Amino acid sequence: MRTTAQNAELALLLEVAGTPKPGNVDREHEYEDLRFEHFLAGAVGARPGFERAAAGDPIGDAFEHAVEGMAQQRGGNTQFGALLVVTPLVATAASGALSREHASAVVAETTVDDAAGFYRAFEHVDVAVDDPPDGMEPLDVRRGAEVVPTLRDRGLTLADVMERSADADDVAAEWTDGFGRVFDAADRIESASGPVADRAATVFLELLAARPDTFVSTRQDRETALEVQRRAQAVLDGEDDVDEFAADLVERDINPGTTADLIAGGLFVALERGLSV
Amino acid sequence: MRTTAQNAELALLLEVAGTPKPGNVDREHEYEDLRFEHFLAGAVGARPGFERAAAGDPIGDAFEHAVEGMAQQRGGNTQFGALLVVTPLVATAASGALSREHASAVVAETTVDDAAGFYRAFEHVDVAVDDPPDGMEPLDVRRGAEVVPTLRDRGLTLADVMERSADADDVAAEWTDGFGRVFDAADRIESASGPVADRAATVFLELLAARPDTFVSTRQDRETALEVQRRAQAVLDGEDDVDEFAADLVERDINPGTTADLIAGGLFVALERGLSV
């Protein structure tokens, strides 16, 4: 039997293996400076962080350690968002039922120290983020560990930080919503058939068609995210070709990374619930 | 920095990612019942065994544990041979210089208990093997742990067992030769340029052209192995097309698995010596 940390690592590997996942690196698509092998090394590097979360270490520390290990490759930010989805779920599985209720409880129990770990994680890797909203400049993640005194002054926990980001970032939104889209992805992956990586690619398209990807909104703009959403629906409706869609997004450097992060979470939940590979 | 066990796992992942590796599963080629994702799960499952080898546990136990973990997926034997190459090299790296001399010393120090672990490993997974040569029936690996009393009666160490298999199996031959072809593969991977998985695929072809693959000799016959060797050379000479070669081998279910095992070893050595991904 795989351990919880092994399932977390395998979830990252299966996520990147699923193809085609338009706009993202997968085993048949990569970018010159962001390659499939960077994701393999990222997943291998992240596991000690997952092991900490599984052992009951604080989530902020475990997340920072996972990010630090992930960053030991030349591609840069491969799986920051996926780690932010999966790490609290590892802690959830390790401390009780892997349910939305328990995941919400785990989030609610996060501390200011966990928030500090989250900010420190940004020092290990460049993450594409937008300017913070008005009034949030003191909490700009790009400032990394500099923000920690502010967190302490204001008594902000990691749950508080996620709540403040939930409007702009659908990974943060999962934290405030008991990981509803992640558990939905797990249900879809479980009820599909065929190779697991293929199922993950299909569910990726379904999630992409359901909501604009916030990573695309951040790196490009909301209009582009809406266009990607419409086109994903057109592929599902048989009105557009998935390979052309994929080629076009790669060409334009549009990566629906948030949706991929949710799929990694869904794969982890499905593996923990006994999905066979 | 990745640990030695992490490098061992990453070597398995990079090996299977390299494409095209004619006849073997890679990220663009798979079989209906032996898929890319089975190799991902196999690599993740093997790591605890590598961790035992890195911690100084006996090689036979570490190998058996790696195989047991590898087998926790539906594809069957994904990386048995690769584990047999990499596990002693993990032990070598963990106990001194990662050199041919020290690897030979590690092999020479193996015990009857290590041989017993090797035989027990065959109980975790079906491995394609030939009938044993005349007089070797009592040591047929297909008998698994049943053979252990015979090993003890005869005082056979794992090094002795490998020596007896070296004529028919080029993984065993590495054990008796200080892993010469593995270290050569590492040198070639290091001196090439470009993505690591691409280098591994190129060196795979070079090794395949240099010697008939013993896994092909076992599953098909020596004539087929020689044909594959000639054709690999033709691809390197620009006289044959690598994709056609790959498609033909997949069609005929010819898998030059021993050569892939040596590449996994070469990747491990290169990663340990500092190759960046």
Side-chain angles (χ1 to χ4, degrees):
Chain A
M1 283 290 294
R2 280 185 296 270
T3 63
T4 298
Q6 283 178 305
N7 277 335
E9 184 193 357
L10 183 56
L12 299 191
L13 292 169
L14 291 168
E15 189 285 311
V16 73
T19 185
K21 279 197 326 295
N24 287 313
V25 171
D26 64 34
R27 70 187 202 260
E28 294 184 359
H29 301 85
E30 56 185 9
Y31 294 84
E32 189 68 37
D33 54 355
L34 184 62
R35 295 192 176 274
F36 184 71
E37 65 193 40
H38 297 141
F39 286 77
L40 300 180
V44 168
R47 185 154 91 177
F50 292 143
E51 283 168 352
R52 288 195 185 188
D57 281 12
I59 288 183
D61 283 351
F63 174 72
E64 185 199 352
H65 196 59
V67 170
E68 186 178 13
M70 172 209 82
Q72 304 297 309
Q73 37 74 30
R74 294 180 162 189
N77 178 17
T78 48
Q79 289 126 326
F80 189 95
L83 299 183
L84 192 54
V85 172
V86 172
T87 305
L89 294 172
V90 169
T92 300
S95 61
L98 182 53
S99 64
R100 292 187 60 187
E101 294 67 28
H102 186 215
S104 293
V106 165
V107 167
E109 285 162 14
T110 58
T111 63
V112 177
D113 281 341
D114 289 322
F118 172 73
Y119 274 88
R120 282 195 307 270
F122 284 89
E123 309 221 324
H124 298 298
V125 66
D126 276 330
V127 180
V129 290
D130 246 340
D131 290 330
D134 276 350
M136 290 282 283
E137 292 81 1
L139 295 172
D140 188 345
V141 291
R142 291 171 296 193
R143 298 179 56 213
E146 266 179 49
V147 174
V148 173
T150 309
L151 295 171
R152 297 209 188 283
D153 285 350
R154 302 195 187 177
L156 293 174
T157 69
L158 184 47
D160 295 329
V161 170
M162 289 294 129
E163 203 176 327
R164 281 165 173 71
S165 307
D167 282 345
D169 174 8
D170 271 353
V171 168
E174 286 297 290
W175 276 64
T176 65
D177 175 46
F179 298 88
R181 295 182 76 203
V182 166
F183 278 87
D184 174 54
D187 293 341
R188 290 166 182 259
I189 290 165
E190 286 166 343
S191 61
S193 60
V196 175
D198 295 356
R199 304 184 200 187
T202 302
V203 177
F204 171 85
L205 265 183
E206 293 171 2
L207 265 60
L208 195 58
R211 249 172 100 100
D213 186 280
T214 52
F215 193 68
V216 175
S217 294
T218 296
R219 285 186 70 233
Q220 275 88 14
D221 49 47
R222 184 163 168 87
E223 194 164 317
T224 307
L226 288 167
E227 176 207 334
V228 168
Q229 181 189 3
R230 278 193 303 271
R231 231 173 133 186
Q233 186 60 53
V235 168
L236 290 174
D237 294 341
E239 291 162 6
D240 200 343
D241 179 78
V242 70
D243 292 321
E244 280 174 32
F245 180 35
D248 182 46
L249 294 192
V250 169
E251 172 79 27
R252 292 159 65 194
D253 192 20
I254 296 171
N255 328 125
T258 300
T259 307
D261 299 338
L262 303 180
I263 295 295
L267 283 162
F268 170 70
V269 170
L271 290 170
E272 278 289 304
R273 295 199 299 211
L275 179 70
S276 292
V277 174
Chain B
M1 282 290 296
R2 279 184 296 270
T3 63
T4 297
Q6 283 178 306
N7 277 335
E9 186 193 356
L10 183 56
L12 298 191
L13 292 169
L14 291 168
E15 189 285 311
V16 73
T19 185
K21 279 196 326 295
N24 286 314
V25 171
D26 64 34
R27 71 189 202 257
E28 294 185 359
H29 300 85
E30 58 185 8
Y31 294 85
E32 189 67 38
D33 54 356
L34 185 61
R35 296 193 177 274
F36 185 70
E37 65 193 40
H38 297 142
F39 285 78
L40 300 180
V44 168
R47 186 157 87 177
F50 291 143
E51 283 169 353
R52 289 194 185 189
D57 282 12
I59 287 183
D61 283 351
F63 175 71
E64 186 200 350
H65 196 59
V67 170
E68 188 178 12
M70 172 208 83
Q72 304 297 310
Q73 38 74 29
R74 295 179 161 191
N77 177 17
T78 47
Q79 289 126 325
F80 189 95
L83 299 182
L84 192 54
V85 172
V86 173
T87 305
L89 294 172
V90 169
T92 300
S95 61
L98 182 53
S99 65
R100 292 187 60 186
E101 294 67 28
H102 185 215
S104 293
V106 166
V107 167
E109 285 161 13
T110 59
T111 64
V112 177
D113 282 341
D114 290 322
F118 171 72
Y119 274 88
R120 281 195 307 269
F122 283 89
E123 308 221 325
H124 298 298
V125 65
D126 276 330
V127 180
V129 291
D130 247 340
D131 291 330
D134 278 349
M136 289 283 283
E137 293 80 2
L139 294 173
D140 188 343
V141 291
R142 291 170 296 192
R143 297 179 56 214
E146 267 179 48
V147 174
V148 173
T150 310
L151 296 171
R152 298 212 187 282
D153 284 349
R154 301 193 188 178
L156 293 174
T157 68
L158 185 46
D160 295 330
V161 170
M162 289 294 129
E163 203 176 328
R164 282 166 174 70
S165 307
D167 282 346
D169 174 9
D170 271 353
V171 168
E174 287 297 289
W175 278 63
T176 65
D177 176 46
F179 298 88
R181 296 182 76 203
V182 166
F183 279 87
D184 173 53
D187 292 342
R188 289 168 183 258
I189 289 166
E190 286 165 343
S191 61
S193 60
V196 174
D198 294 357
R199 303 185 201 187
T202 302
V203 177
F204 170 85
L205 266 184
E206 293 171 1
L207 263 60
L208 194 58
R211 249 171 99 102
D213 185 280
T214 52
F215 193 68
V216 176
S217 295
T218 296
R219 284 186 70 233
Q220 275 88 14
D221 49 48
R222 184 163 168 87
E223 195 164 313
T224 307
L226 288 166
E227 176 207 332
V228 168
Q229 180 189 3
R230 279 192 304 271
R231 230 172 134 186
Q233 186 60 53
V235 168
L236 290 174
D237 293 343
E239 292 163 6
D240 201 343
D241 178 76
V242 71
D243 293 319
E244 280 174 32
F245 180 34
D248 183 45
L249 293 193
V250 169
E251 171 80 25
R252 292 160 64 194
D253 191 20
I254 297 170
N255 328 123
T258 300
T259 307
D261 299 338
L262 303 180
I263 295 296
L267 283 162
F268 170 71
V269 170
L271 290 170
E272 278 289 303
R273 295 199 298 211
L275 179 69
S276 293
V277 174

